[in-house]
């Protein structure tokens, strides 16, 4: 499945694609993980990590980017520690503990992100320190967000 197919249907010229309509605010909802959920991962790149964090964009002009490895596609969203940048693996989620979600947001063709973008996750405005790695084209960025496990 290609999320770009869900983007608004617009005709884009080469110059518009480089410049694009500026997105100043991005809003996402991340589902809170359930206590007892086991995060599994054996690949050093995190590609096989399960479960994938459930992230819902609140607009049709951006989406969670996707990555394909050996013909297998998944969202570019992971459980990853902010301090060490390591993927969680064999981690059972505990009540009251916070877990860090790392994900890449991509703009639909013809759009670019303002730098720094105002990123709201679950209604919280993230600090600019948690939003990073804007692409040269301005059409994607990565972010970190801590979320608490619930019963």
């Amino acid at each position: 499945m290609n999320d770009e197919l869900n983007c608004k249907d617009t005709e884009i010229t080469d110059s518009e694609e480089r410049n694009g309509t500026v997105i100043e605010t991005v809003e996402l909802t991340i589902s809170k993980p359930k206590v007892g959920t086991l995060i599994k991962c054996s690949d050093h790149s995190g590609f096989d990590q399960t479960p994938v964090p459930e992230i819902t964009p609140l607009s049709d002009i951006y989406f969670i980017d996707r990555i394909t490895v050996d013909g297998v596609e998944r969202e570019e969203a992971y459980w990853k520690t902010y301090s060490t940048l390591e993927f969680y693996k064999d981690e059972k989620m505990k009540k009251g503990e916070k877990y860090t979600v790392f994900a890449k947001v991509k703009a639909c063709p013809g759009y670019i992100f303002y730098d720094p973008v105002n990123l709201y996750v679950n209604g919280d405005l993230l600090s600019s320190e948690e939003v990073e790695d804007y692409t040269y084209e301005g059409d994607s960025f990565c972010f970190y967000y801590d979320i608490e496990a619930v019963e």
Side-chain angles (χ1 to χ4, degrees):
M1 179 177 121
N2 184 344
D3 279 275
E4 284 191 19
L5 297 176
N6 296 328
C7 293
K8 289 171 102 174
D9 187 24
T10 55
E11 184 144 338
I12 308 302
T13 66
D14 285 343
S15 65
E16 284 177 323
E17 192 160 344
R18 282 188 208 94
N19 297 325
T21 302
V22 177
I23 302 169
E24 294 184 15
T25 301
V26 170
E27 296 179 275
L28 306 170
T29 299
I30 300 177
S31 299
K32 291 186 176 189
K34 302 284 184 210
V35 170
T37 298
L38 178 62
I39 301 171
K40 296 179 183 179
C41 183
S42 60
D43 184 26
H44 70 281
S45 72
F47 185 76
D48 69 346
Q49 187 184 63
T50 59
V52 176
E54 295 176 28
I55 306 172
T56 305
L58 300 183
S59 173
D60 61 355
I61 59 175
Y62 50 83
F63 57 97
I64 302 304
D65 202 6
R66 300 188 71 80
I67 186 169
T68 303
V69 175
D70 295 331
V72 178
E73 184 179 60
R74 67 167 277 159
E75 286 187 330
E76 204 161 352
Y78 307 94
W79 299 101
K80 191 173 182 181
T81 62
Y82 183 75
S83 59
T84 64
L85 304 180
E86 292 181 19
F87 296 97
Y88 288 103
K89 57 182 176 185
D90 300 322
E91 178 83 26
K92 193 171 191 177
M93 295 187 170
K94 299 174 185 82
K95 183 178 180 181
E97 294 288 320
K98 288 190 175 187
Y99 299 88
T100 304
V101 173
F102 169 83
K104 184 175 182 181
V105 180
K106 179 128 174 105
C108 290
Y111 292 88
I112 59 171
F113 294 110
Y114 184 77
D115 183 2
V117 71
N118 296 309
L119 176 60
Y120 289 87
V121 177
N122 294 353
D124 299 328
L125 176 62
L126 272 60
S127 79
S128 60
E129 294 168 358
E130 295 167 305
V131 180
E132 58 186 33
D133 296 338
Y134 288 89
T135 57
Y136 178 72
E137 298 83 12
D139 69 347
S140 66
F141 66 88
C142 297
F143 73 92
Y144 292 90
Y145 182 76
D146 291 334
I147 193 162
E148 189 173 324
V150 296
E151 292 192 71

